[in-house]
Amino acid sequence: MPDCPVTVVLPCLNEAASLPGVLAAIPDGYRALVVDNNSTDGTAEVARRHGADVVSEARPGYGSAVHAGVVASTTPLVAVIDADGSLDPRDLPKLVDDLGSGADMAIGRRRAVKGLTWPWHARVGTAAVCWRLRRKHGLPVHDIAPMRVARREALLALGVQDRRSGYPLELLVRAAGAGWRVVERDVDYGPRTGGKSKVSGSLRGSVIAAVDFWRAIS
Ligand SMILES: Nc1nc2c(ncn2[C@@H]2O[C@H](COP(=O)(O)OP(=O)(O)O)[C@@H](O)[C@H]2O)c(=O)[nH]1
Ligand SMILES: [Mg+2]
């Protein structure tokens, strides 16, 4: 795909069950790049079998996987989306269009579809963090950029350092500091389609994420 404009980076820790459905929904002409973070469930093989490119990142952490994927991308635009089936890659072209209309970064705001159980601690944490992002950093956001599209070179130039779950928040803070125009739009958010939650599905995961989040935005 020499003229492909968009790489879709999919950070993965044991997502073999949901990956096939996610990869099938990647828009035509986009290139899927799975970043496998020491999965033990055959994630890398499943990804290759379903047409994705795969890079391995040994250093654990969501941010570590995302950063490796952005570095390995070769297209002008880079999208990042979860690989658990909770977000729909078919929402990506709208975000890509926003970049064409002057945005420096387009991000999704999760809107629960019917039947989703969204833990209260995750909702409260997100709301608190976004309040701070609006008040202190002047960003017009209501979610923590779970899905996003930006220009690869500009993204790397921001120099995000966090390699765990604070990555998207540090990215938002740095984007605000650099004067980026950030556009947020609603995207569907459903239950994961297989596998286990690593973050907000447990109180423990949420507390660890909350510590990372607070470090990134305070
Ligand atoms: N590479 C990598 N991916 C991770 C890690 N933790 C979470 N992810 C991925 O990040 C995405 C979101 O994680 P998830 O478990 O769904 O978190 P939740 O939505 O809060 O339950 C999924 O695609 C995970 O596979 C990690 O340590 N390394
Ligand atoms: Mg999830």
Side-chain angles (χ1 to χ4, degrees), residues 33-60:
L33 179 61
V34 163
V35 186
D36 177 28
N37 215 189
N38 307 312
S39 295
T40 53
D41 69 344
T43 285
E45 295 81 56
V46 169
R48 282 192 202 95
R49 214 182 312 131
H50 288 83
D53 292 326
V54 178
V55 296
S56 299
E57 170 54 54
R59 186 174 162 187

mmCIF file with all atom_site columns, all heavy atoms in Angstrom, residues 33-60:
data_model
loop_
_atom_site.group_PDB
_atom_site.id
_atom_site.type_symbol
_atom_site.label_atom_id
_atom_site.label_alt_id
_atom_site.label_comp_id
_atom_site.label_asym_id
_atom_site.label_entity_id
_atom_site.label_seq_id
_atom_site.pdbx_PDB_ins_code
_atom_site.Cartn_x
_atom_site.Cartn_y
_atom_site.Cartn_z
_atom_site.occupancy
_atom_site.B_iso_or_equiv
_atom_site.pdbx_formal_charge
_atom_site.auth_seq_id
_atom_site.auth_comp_id
_atom_site.auth_asym_id
_atom_site.auth_atom_id
_atom_site.pdbx_PDB_model_num
ATOM 1   N N   . LEU A 1 33 ? -1.386 -1.686  12.157 1.00 0.00 ? 33 LEU A N   1
ATOM 2   C CA  . LEU A 1 33 ? -0.103 -2.023  12.764 1.00 0.00 ? 33 LEU A CA  1
ATOM 3   C C   . LEU A 1 33 ? -0.335 -2.415  14.225 1.00 0.00 ? 33 LEU A C   1
ATOM 4   O O   . LEU A 1 33 ? -0.637 -1.578  15.078 1.00 0.00 ? 33 LEU A O   1
ATOM 5   C CB  . LEU A 1 33 ? 0.848  -0.814  12.695 1.00 0.00 ? 33 LEU A CB  1
ATOM 6   C CG  . LEU A 1 33 ? 2.227  -0.999  13.304 1.00 0.00 ? 33 LEU A CG  1
ATOM 7   C CD1 . LEU A 1 33 ? 2.987  -2.120  12.592 1.00 0.00 ? 33 LEU A CD1 1
ATOM 8   C CD2 . LEU A 1 33 ? 3.022  0.293   13.222 1.00 0.00 ? 33 LEU A CD2 1
ATOM 9   N N   . VAL A 1 34 ? -0.222 -3.698  14.476 1.00 0.00 ? 34 VAL A N   1
ATOM 10  C CA  . VAL A 1 34 ? -0.413 -4.212  15.835 1.00 0.00 ? 34 VAL A CA  1
ATOM 11  C C   . VAL A 1 34 ? 0.910  -4.141  16.593 1.00 0.00 ? 34 VAL A C   1
ATOM 12  O O   . VAL A 1 34 ? 1.943  -4.589  16.086 1.00 0.00 ? 34 VAL A O   1
ATOM 13  C CB  . VAL A 1 34 ? -0.939 -5.664  15.789 1.00 0.00 ? 34 VAL A CB  1
ATOM 14  C CG1 . VAL A 1 34 ? -0.750 -6.364  17.126 1.00 0.00 ? 34 VAL A CG1 1
ATOM 15  C CG2 . VAL A 1 34 ? -2.416 -5.668  15.383 1.00 0.00 ? 34 VAL A CG2 1
ATOM 16  N N   . VAL A 1 35 ? 0.871  -3.541  17.775 1.00 0.00 ? 35 VAL A N   1
ATOM 17  C CA  . VAL A 1 35 ? 2.067  -3.541  18.618 1.00 0.00 ? 35 VAL A CA  1
ATOM 18  C C   . VAL A 1 35 ? 1.832  -4.524  19.741 1.00 0.00 ? 35 VAL A C   1
ATOM 19  O O   . VAL A 1 35 ? 0.994  -4.312  20.623 1.00 0.00 ? 35 VAL A O   1
ATOM 20  C CB  . VAL A 1 35 ? 2.366  -2.145  19.188 1.00 0.00 ? 35 VAL A CB  1
ATOM 21  C CG1 . VAL A 1 35 ? 3.702  -2.187  19.926 1.00 0.00 ? 35 VAL A CG1 1
ATOM 22  C CG2 . VAL A 1 35 ? 2.393  -1.104  18.086 1.00 0.00 ? 35 VAL A CG2 1
ATOM 23  N N   . ASP A 1 36 ? 2.571  -5.615  19.655 1.00 0.00 ? 36 ASP A N   1
ATOM 24  C CA  . ASP A 1 36 ? 2.382  -6.692  20.612 1.00 0.00 ? 36 ASP A CA  1
ATOM 25  C C   . ASP A 1 36 ? 3.311  -6.487  21.805 1.00 0.00 ? 36 ASP A C   1
ATOM 26  O O   . ASP A 1 36 ? 4.523  -6.367  21.646 1.00 0.00 ? 36 ASP A O   1
ATOM 27  C CB  . ASP A 1 36 ? 2.671  -8.028  19.930 1.00 0.00 ? 36 ASP A CB  1
ATOM 28  C CG  . ASP A 1 36 ? 2.551  -9.171  20.908 1.00 0.00 ? 36 ASP A CG  1
ATOM 29  O OD1 . ASP A 1 36 ? 1.777  -9.047  21.883 1.00 0.00 ? 36 ASP A OD1 1
ATOM 30  O OD2 . ASP A 1 36 ? 3.240  -10.200 20.716 1.00 0.00 ? 36 ASP A OD2 1
ATOM 31  N N   . ASN A 1 37 ? 2.731  -6.460  22.977 1.00 0.00 ? 37 ASN A N   1
ATOM 32  C CA  . ASN A 1 37 ? 3.462  -6.147  24.197 1.00 0.00 ? 37 ASN A CA  1
ATOM 33  C C   . ASN A 1 37 ? 3.553  -7.395  25.076 1.00 0.00 ? 37 ASN A C   1
ATOM 34  O O   . ASN A 1 37 ? 2.872  -7.494  26.084 1.00 0.00 ? 37 ASN A O   1
ATOM 35  C CB  . ASN A 1 37 ? 2.710  -5.029  24.918 1.00 0.00 ? 37 ASN A CB  1
ATOM 36  C CG  . ASN A 1 37 ? 3.591  -4.047  25.653 1.00 0.00 ? 37 ASN A CG  1
ATOM 37  O OD1 . ASN A 1 37 ? 3.076  -3.235  26.380 1.00 0.00 ? 37 ASN A OD1 1
ATOM 38  N ND2 . ASN A 1 37 ? 4.884  -4.106  25.484 1.00 0.00 ? 37 ASN A ND2 1
ATOM 39  N N   . ASN A 1 38 ? 4.367  -8.349  24.627 1.00 0.00 ? 38 ASN A N   1
ATOM 40  C CA  . ASN A 1 38 ? 4.595  -9.568  25.422 1.00 0.00 ? 38 ASN A CA  1
ATOM 41  C C   . ASN A 1 38 ? 3.325  -10.386 25.645 1.00 0.00 ? 38 ASN A C   1
ATOM 42  O O   . ASN A 1 38 ? 3.147  -10.994 26.697 1.00 0.00 ? 38 ASN A O   1
ATOM 43  C CB  . ASN A 1 38 ? 5.202  -9.226  26.792 1.00 0.00 ? 38 ASN A CB  1
ATOM 44  C CG  . ASN A 1 38 ? 6.447  -8.368  26.671 1.00 0.00 ? 38 ASN A CG  1
ATOM 45  O OD1 . ASN A 1 38 ? 7.338  -8.679  25.882 1.00 0.00 ? 38 ASN A OD1 1
ATOM 46  N ND2 . ASN A 1 38 ? 6.513  -7.290  27.418 1.00 0.00 ? 38 ASN A ND2 1
ATOM 47  N N   . SER A 1 39 ? 2.446  -10.422 24.651 1.00 0.00 ? 39 SER A N   1
ATOM 48  C CA  . SER A 1 39 ? 1.232  -11.222 24.791 1.00 0.00 ? 39 SER A CA  1
ATOM 49  C C   . SER A 1 39 ? 1.577  -12.701 24.847 1.00 0.00 ? 39 SER A C   1
ATOM 50  O O   . SER A 1 39 ? 2.553  -13.151 24.250 1.00 0.00 ? 39 SER A O   1
ATOM 51  C CB  . SER A 1 39 ? 0.304  -10.992 23.598 1.00 0.00 ? 39 SER A CB  1
ATOM 52  O OG  . SER A 1 39 ? -0.150 -9.664  23.564 1.00 0.00 ? 39 SER A OG  1
ATOM 53  N N   . THR A 1 40 ? 0.752  -13.461 25.556 1.00 0.00 ? 40 THR A N   1
ATOM 54  C CA  . THR A 1 40 ? 0.992  -14.898 25.676 1.00 0.00 ? 40 THR A CA  1
ATOM 55  C C   . THR A 1 40 ? -0.150 -15.700 25.052 1.00 0.00 ? 40 THR A C   1
ATOM 56  O O   . THR A 1 40 ? -0.249 -16.905 25.238 1.00 0.00 ? 40 THR A O   1
ATOM 57  C CB  . THR A 1 40 ? 1.104  -15.283 27.162 1.00 0.00 ? 40 THR A CB  1
ATOM 58  O OG1 . THR A 1 40 ? -0.048 -14.795 27.850 1.00 0.00 ? 40 THR A OG1 1
ATOM 59  C CG2 . THR A 1 40 ? 2.356  -14.704 27.785 1.00 0.00 ? 40 THR A CG2 1
ATOM 60  N N   . ASP A 1 41 ? -1.034 -15.022 24.329 1.00 0.00 ? 41 ASP A N   1
ATOM 61  C CA  . ASP A 1 41 ? -2.215 -15.701 23.786 1.00 0.00 ? 41 ASP A CA  1
ATOM 62  C C   . ASP A 1 41 ? -2.206 -15.795 22.264 1.00 0.00 ? 41 ASP A C   1
ATOM 63  O O   . ASP A 1 41 ? -3.248 -16.034 21.652 1.00 0.00 ? 41 ASP A O   1
ATOM 64  C CB  . ASP A 1 41 ? -3.493 -14.968 24.244 1.00 0.00 ? 41 ASP A CB  1
ATOM 65  C CG  . ASP A 1 41 ? -3.625 -13.603 23.582 1.00 0.00 ? 41 ASP A CG  1
ATOM 66  O OD1 . ASP A 1 41 ? -2.608 -13.105 23.030 1.00 0.00 ? 41 ASP A OD1 1
ATOM 67  O OD2 . ASP A 1 41 ? -4.728 -13.047 23.594 1.00 0.00 ? 41 ASP A OD2 1
ATOM 68  N N   . GLY A 1 42 ? -1.038 -15.589 21.657 1.00 0.00 ? 42 GLY A N   1
ATOM 69  C CA  . GLY A 1 42 ? -0.970 -15.697 20.192 1.00 0.00 ? 42 GLY A CA  1
ATOM 70  C C   . GLY A 1 42 ? -1.440 -14.452 19.458 1.00 0.00 ? 42 GLY A C   1
ATOM 71  O O   . GLY A 1 42 ? -1.727 -14.503 18.258 1.00 0.00 ? 42 GLY A O   1
ATOM 72  N N   . THR A 1 43 ? -1.488 -13.331 20.145 1.00 0.00 ? 43 THR A N   1
ATOM 73  C CA  . THR A 1 43 ? -1.910 -12.066 19.519 1.00 0.00 ? 43 THR A CA  1
ATOM 74  C C   . THR A 1 43 ? -1.162 -11.779 18.211 1.00 0.00 ? 43 THR A C   1
ATOM 75  O O   . THR A 1 43 ? -1.783 -11.426 17.203 1.00 0.00 ? 43 THR A O   1
ATOM 76  C CB  . THR A 1 43 ? -1.707 -10.899 20.522 1.00 0.00 ? 43 THR A CB  1
ATOM 77  O OG1 . THR A 1 43 ? -2.738 -10.963 21.524 1.00 0.00 ? 43 THR A OG1 1
ATOM 78  C CG2 . THR A 1 43 ? -1.775 -9.548  19.844 1.00 0.00 ? 43 THR A CG2 1
ATOM 79  N N   . ALA A 1 44 ? 0.162  -11.941 18.212 1.00 0.00 ? 44 ALA A N   1
ATOM 80  C CA  . ALA A 1 44 ? 0.956  -11.587 17.020 1.00 0.00 ? 44 ALA A CA  1
ATOM 81  C C   . ALA A 1 44 ? 0.573  -12.449 15.824 1.00 0.00 ? 44 ALA A C   1
ATOM 82  O O   . ALA A 1 44 ? 0.407  -11.950 14.707 1.00 0.00 ? 44 ALA A O   1
ATOM 83  C CB  . ALA A 1 44 ? 2.446  -11.720 17.335 1.00 0.00 ? 44 ALA A CB  1
ATOM 84  N N   . GLU A 1 45 ? 0.415  -13.768 16.030 1.00 0.00 ? 45 GLU A N   1
ATOM 85  C CA  . GLU A 1 45 ? 0.046  -14.662 14.922 1.00 0.00 ? 45 GLU A CA  1
ATOM 86  C C   . GLU A 1 45 ? -1.338 -14.321 14.392 1.00 0.00 ? 45 GLU A C   1
ATOM 87  O O   . GLU A 1 45 ? -1.566 -14.286 13.182 1.00 0.00 ? 45 GLU A O   1
ATOM 88  C CB  . GLU A 1 45 ? 0.051  -16.134 15.361 1.00 0.00 ? 45 GLU A CB  1
ATOM 89  C CG  . GLU A 1 45 ? 1.413  -16.685 15.753 1.00 0.00 ? 45 GLU A CG  1
ATOM 90  C CD  . GLU A 1 45 ? 1.794  -16.292 17.181 1.00 0.00 ? 45 GLU A CD  1
ATOM 91  O OE1 . GLU A 1 45 ? 1.030  -16.577 18.109 1.00 0.00 ? 45 GLU A OE1 1
ATOM 92  O OE2 . GLU A 1 45 ? 2.852  -15.657 17.349 1.00 0.00 ? 45 GLU A OE2 1
ATOM 93  N N   . VAL A 1 46 ? -2.272 -14.097 15.311 1.00 0.00 ? 46 VAL A N   1
ATOM 94  C CA  . VAL A 1 46 ? -3.635 -13.751 14.894 1.00 0.00 ? 46 VAL A CA  1
ATOM 95  C C   . VAL A 1 46 ? -3.614 -12.465 14.069 1.00 0.00 ? 46 VAL A C   1
ATOM 96  O O   . VAL A 1 46 ? -4.267 -12.350 13.029 1.00 0.00 ? 46 VAL A O   1
ATOM 97  C CB  . VAL A 1 46 ? -4.555 -13.606 16.128 1.00 0.00 ? 46 VAL A CB  1
ATOM 98  C CG1 . VAL A 1 46 ? -5.891 -12.987 15.746 1.00 0.00 ? 46 VAL A CG1 1
ATOM 99  C CG2 . VAL A 1 46 ? -4.768 -14.965 16.791 1.00 0.00 ? 46 VAL A CG2 1
ATOM 100 N N   . ALA A 1 47 ? -2.830 -11.494 14.533 1.00 0.00 ? 47 ALA A N   1
ATOM 101 C CA  . ALA A 1 47 ? -2.748 -10.210 13.825 1.00 0.00 ? 47 ALA A CA  1
ATOM 102 C C   . ALA A 1 47 ? -2.232 -10.413 12.398 1.00 0.00 ? 47 ALA A C   1
ATOM 103 O O   . ALA A 1 47 ? -2.818 -9.909  11.432 1.00 0.00 ? 47 ALA A O   1
ATOM 104 C CB  . ALA A 1 47 ? -1.833 -9.258  14.591 1.00 0.00 ? 47 ALA A CB  1
ATOM 105 N N   . ARG A 1 48 ? -1.150 -11.182 12.258 1.00 0.00 ? 48 ARG A N   1
ATOM 106 C CA  . ARG A 1 48 ? -0.576 -11.419 10.919 1.00 0.00 ? 48 ARG A CA  1
ATOM 107 C C   . ARG A 1 48 ? -1.556 -12.145 10.030 1.00 0.00 ? 48 ARG A C   1
ATOM 108 O O   . ARG A 1 48 ? -1.739 -11.809 8.863  1.00 0.00 ? 48 ARG A O   1
ATOM 109 C CB  . ARG A 1 48 ? 0.717  -12.231 11.030 1.00 0.00 ? 48 ARG A CB  1
ATOM 110 C CG  . ARG A 1 48 ? 1.888  -11.400 11.448 1.00 0.00 ? 48 ARG A CG  1
ATOM 111 C CD  . ARG A 1 48 ? 3.224  -12.128 11.279 1.00 0.00 ? 48 ARG A CD  1
ATOM 112 N NE  . ARG A 1 48 ? 4.195  -11.504 12.170 1.00 0.00 ? 48 ARG A NE  1
ATOM 113 C CZ  . ARG A 1 48 ? 4.485  -11.940 13.396 1.00 0.00 ? 48 ARG A CZ  1
ATOM 114 N NH1 . ARG A 1 48 ? 3.930  -13.053 13.853 1.00 0.00 ? 48 ARG A NH1 1
ATOM 115 N NH2 . ARG A 1 48 ? 5.335  -11.296 14.158 1.00 0.00 ? 48 ARG A NH2 1
ATOM 116 N N   . ARG A 1 49 ? -2.213 -13.144 10.596 1.00 0.00 ? 49 ARG A N   1
ATOM 117 C CA  . ARG A 1 49 ? -3.167 -13.934 9.812  1.00 0.00 ? 49 ARG A CA  1
ATOM 118 C C   . ARG A 1 49 ? -4.313 -13.071 9.302  1.00 0.00 ? 49 ARG A C   1
ATOM 119 O O   . ARG A 1 49 ? -4.894 -13.341 8.267  1.00 0.00 ? 49 ARG A O   1
ATOM 120 C CB  . ARG A 1 49 ? -3.708 -15.076 10.684 1.00 0.00 ? 49 ARG A CB  1
ATOM 121 C CG  . ARG A 1 49 ? -3.986 -16.338 9.886  1.00 0.00 ? 49 ARG A CG  1
ATOM 122 C CD  . ARG A 1 49 ? -4.567 -17.454 10.754 1.00 0.00 ? 49 ARG A CD  1
ATOM 123 N NE  . ARG A 1 49 ? -3.853 -17.692 11.990 1.00 0.00 ? 49 ARG A NE  1
ATOM 124 C CZ  . ARG A 1 49 ? -4.434 -17.781 13.196 1.00 0.00 ? 49 ARG A CZ  1
ATOM 125 N NH1 . ARG A 1 49 ? -5.738 -17.629 13.321 1.00 0.00 ? 49 ARG A NH1 1
ATOM 126 N NH2 . ARG A 1 49 ? -3.719 -18.025 14.269 1.00 0.00 ? 49 ARG A NH2 1
ATOM 127 N N   . HIS A 1 50 ? -4.632 -12.018 10.028 1.00 0.00 ? 50 HIS A N   1
ATOM 128 C CA  . HIS A 1 50 ? -5.733 -11.152 9.604  1.00 0.00 ? 50 HIS A CA  1
ATOM 129 C C   . HIS A 1 50 ? -5.249 -9.881  8.917  1.00 0.00 ? 50 HIS A C   1
ATOM 130 O O   . HIS A 1 50 ? -5.956 -8.879  8.867  1.00 0.00 ? 50 HIS A O   1
ATOM 131 C CB  . HIS A 1 50 ? -6.645 -10.832 10.798 1.00 0.00 ? 50 HIS A CB  1
ATOM 132 C CG  . HIS A 1 50 ? -7.464 -12.022 11.217 1.00 0.00 ? 50 HIS A CG  1
ATOM 133 N ND1 . HIS A 1 50 ? -6.979 -13.012 12.044 1.00 0.00 ? 50 HIS A ND1 1
ATOM 134 C CD2 . HIS A 1 50 ? -8.711 -12.405 10.881 1.00 0.00 ? 50 HIS A CD2 1
ATOM 135 C CE1 . HIS A 1 50 ? -7.895 -13.942 12.218 1.00 0.00 ? 50 HIS A CE1 1
ATOM 136 N NE2 . HIS A 1 50 ? -8.960 -13.600 11.518 1.00 0.00 ? 50 HIS A NE2 1
ATOM 137 N N   . GLY A 1 51 ? -4.007 -9.953  8.413  1.00 0.00 ? 51 GLY A N   1
ATOM 138 C CA  . GLY A 1 51 ? -3.553 -8.902  7.499  1.00 0.00 ? 51 GLY A CA  1
ATOM 139 C C   . GLY A 1 51 ? -2.866 -7.706  8.120  1.00 0.00 ? 51 GLY A C   1
ATOM 140 O O   . GLY A 1 51 ? -2.560 -6.741  7.414  1.00 0.00 ? 51 GLY A O   1
ATOM 141 N N   . ALA A 1 52 ? -2.600 -7.734  9.407  1.00 0.00 ? 52 ALA A N   1
ATOM 142 C CA  . ALA A 1 52 ? -1.931 -6.584  10.032 1.00 0.00 ? 52 ALA A CA  1
ATOM 143 C C   . ALA A 1 52 ? -0.418 -6.757  9.987  1.00 0.00 ? 52 ALA A C   1
ATOM 144 O O   . ALA A 1 52 ? 0.088  -7.873  9.952  1.00 0.00 ? 52 ALA A O   1
ATOM 145 C CB  . ALA A 1 52 ? -2.388 -6.444  11.485 1.00 0.00 ? 52 ALA A CB  1
ATOM 146 N N   . ASP A 1 53 ? 0.296  -5.650  9.986  1.00 0.00 ? 53 ASP A N   1
ATOM 147 C CA  . ASP A 1 53 ? 1.723  -5.687  10.261 1.00 0.00 ? 53 ASP A CA  1
ATOM 148 C C   . ASP A 1 53 ? 1.876  -5.762  11.773 1.00 0.00 ? 53 ASP A C   1
ATOM 149 O O   . ASP A 1 53 ? 1.009  -5.299  12.512 1.00 0.00 ? 53 ASP A O   1
ATOM 150 C CB  . ASP A 1 53 ? 2.413  -4.422  9.745  1.00 0.00 ? 53 ASP A CB  1
ATOM 151 C CG  . ASP A 1 53 ? 2.415  -4.372  8.223  1.00 0.00 ? 53 ASP A CG  1
ATOM 152 O OD1 . ASP A 1 53 ? 2.505  -5.452  7.613  1.00 0.00 ? 53 ASP A OD1 1
ATOM 153 O OD2 . ASP A 1 53 ? 2.294  -3.268  7.658  1.00 0.00 ? 53 ASP A OD2 1
ATOM 154 N N   . VAL A 1 54 ? 2.980  -6.353  12.218 1.00 0.00 ? 54 VAL A N   1
ATOM 155 C CA  . VAL A 1 54 ? 3.177  -6.521  13.659 1.00 0.00 ? 54 VAL A CA  1
ATOM 156 C C   . VAL A 1 54 ? 4.562  -6.029  14.058 1.00 0.00 ? 54 VAL A C   1
ATOM 157 O O   . VAL A 1 54 ? 5.550  -6.346  13.396 1.00 0.00 ? 54 VAL A O   1
ATOM 158 C CB  . VAL A 1 54 ? 3.052  -8.013  14.070 1.00 0.00 ? 54 VAL A CB  1
ATOM 159 C CG1 . VAL A 1 54 ? 3.314  -8.187  15.560 1.00 0.00 ? 54 VAL A CG1 1
ATOM 160 C CG2 . VAL A 1 54 ? 1.673  -8.553  13.706 1.00 0.00 ? 54 VAL A CG2 1
ATOM 161 N N   . VAL A 1 55 ? 4.624  -5.225  15.103 1.00 0.00 ? 55 VAL A N   1
ATOM 162 C CA  . VAL A 1 55 ? 5.907  -4.952  15.742 1.00 0.00 ? 55 VAL A CA  1
ATOM 163 C C   . VAL A 1 55 ? 5.802  -5.401  17.193 1.00 0.00 ? 55 VAL A C   1
ATOM 164 O O   . VAL A 1 55 ? 4.722  -5.371  17.780 1.00 0.00 ? 55 VAL A O   1
ATOM 165 C CB  . VAL A 1 55 ? 6.344  -3.465  15.662 1.00 0.00 ? 55 VAL A CB  1
ATOM 166 C CG1 . VAL A 1 55 ? 6.565  -3.036  14.228 1.00 0.00 ? 55 VAL A CG1 1
ATOM 167 C CG2 . VAL A 1 55 ? 5.351  -2.558  16.349 1.00 0.00 ? 55 VAL A CG2 1
ATOM 168 N N   . SER A 1 56 ? 6.939  -5.821  17.743 1.00 0.00 ? 56 SER A N   1
ATOM 169 C CA  . SER A 1 56 ? 6.946  -6.257  19.135 1.00 0.00 ? 56 SER A CA  1
ATOM 170 C C   . SER A 1 56 ? 7.615  -5.197  19.980 1.00 0.00 ? 56 SER A C   1
ATOM 171 O O   . SER A 1 56 ? 8.622  -4.622  19.567 1.00 0.00 ? 56 SER A O   1
ATOM 172 C CB  . SER A 1 56 ? 7.722  -7.559  19.287 1.00 0.00 ? 56 SER A CB  1
ATOM 173 O OG  . SER A 1 56 ? 7.096  -8.549  18.522 1.00 0.00 ? 56 SER A OG  1
ATOM 174 N N   . GLU A 1 57 ? 7.052  -4.949  21.137 1.00 0.00 ? 57 GLU A N   1
ATOM 175 C CA  . GLU A 1 57 ? 7.657  -4.007  22.087 1.00 0.00 ? 57 GLU A CA  1
ATOM 176 C C   . GLU A 1 57 ? 7.788  -4.741  23.411 1.00 0.00 ? 57 GLU A C   1
ATOM 177 O O   . GLU A 1 57 ? 6.786  -5.143  24.006 1.00 0.00 ? 57 GLU A O   1
ATOM 178 C CB  . GLU A 1 57 ? 6.768  -2.760  22.221 1.00 0.00 ? 57 GLU A CB  1
ATOM 179 C CG  . GLU A 1 57 ? 7.162  -1.821  23.335 1.00 0.00 ? 57 GLU A CG  1
ATOM 180 C CD  . GLU A 1 57 ? 8.626  -1.379  23.261 1.00 0.00 ? 57 GLU A CD  1
ATOM 181 O OE1 . GLU A 1 57 ? 9.049  -0.869  22.207 1.00 0.00 ? 57 GLU A OE1 1
ATOM 182 O OE2 . GLU A 1 57 ? 9.342  -1.565  24.267 1.00 0.00 ? 57 GLU A OE2 1
ATOM 183 N N   . ALA A 1 58 ? 9.022  -4.934  23.864 1.00 0.00 ? 58 ALA A N   1
ATOM 184 C CA  . ALA A 1 58 ? 9.242  -5.724  25.077 1.00 0.00 ? 58 ALA A CA  1
ATOM 185 C C   . ALA A 1 58 ? 8.926  -4.938  26.340 1.00 0.00 ? 58 ALA A C   1
ATOM 186 O O   . ALA A 1 58 ? 8.491  -5.510  27.347 1.00 0.00 ? 58 ALA A O   1
ATOM 187 C CB  . ALA A 1 58 ? 10.685 -6.199  25.119 1.00 0.00 ? 58 ALA A CB  1
ATOM 188 N N   . ARG A 1 59 ? 9.123  -3.615  26.288 1.00 0.00 ? 59 ARG A N   1
ATOM 189 C CA  . ARG A 1 59 ? 8.883  -2.820  27.500 1.00 0.00 ? 59 ARG A CA  1
ATOM 190 C C   . ARG A 1 59 ? 7.379  -2.700  27.731 1.00 0.00 ? 59 ARG A C   1
ATOM 191 O O   . ARG A 1 59 ? 6.644  -2.253  26.862 1.00 0.00 ? 59 ARG A O   1
ATOM 192 C CB  . ARG A 1 59 ? 9.499  -1.434  27.307 1.00 0.00 ? 59 ARG A CB  1
ATOM 193 C CG  . ARG A 1 59 ? 9.443  -0.593  28.546 1.00 0.00 ? 59 ARG A CG  1
ATOM 194 C CD  . ARG A 1 59 ? 10.204 0.709   28.345 1.00 0.00 ? 59 ARG A CD  1
ATOM 195 N NE  . ARG A 1 59 ? 9.788  1.657   29.355 1.00 0.00 ? 59 ARG A NE  1
ATOM 196 C CZ  . ARG A 1 59 ? 10.151 2.925   29.387 1.00 0.00 ? 59 ARG A CZ  1
ATOM 197 N NH1 . ARG A 1 59 ? 10.921 3.409   28.442 1.00 0.00 ? 59 ARG A NH1 1
ATOM 198 N NH2 . ARG A 1 59 ? 9.729  3.711   30.338 1.00 0.00 ? 59 ARG A NH2 1
ATOM 199 N N   . PRO A 1 60 ? 6.909  -3.136  28.899 1.00 0.00 ? 60 PRO A N   1
ATOM 200 C CA  . PRO A 1 60 ? 5.467  -3.135  29.122 1.00 0.00 ? 60 PRO A CA  1
ATOM 201 C C   . PRO A 1 60 ? 4.878  -1.733  29.222 1.00 0.00 ? 60 PRO A C   1
ATOM 202 O O   . PRO A 1 60 ? 5.596  -0.762  29.461 1.00 0.00 ? 60 PRO A O   1
ATOM 203 C CB  . PRO A 1 60 ? 5.304  -3.881  30.451 1.00 0.00 ? 60 PRO A CB  1
ATOM 204 C CG  . PRO A 1 60 ? 6.642  -3.941  31.076 1.00 0.00 ? 60 PRO A CG  1
ATOM 205 C CD  . PRO A 1 60 ? 7.672  -3.649  30.040 1.00 0.00 ? 60 PRO A CD  1
#
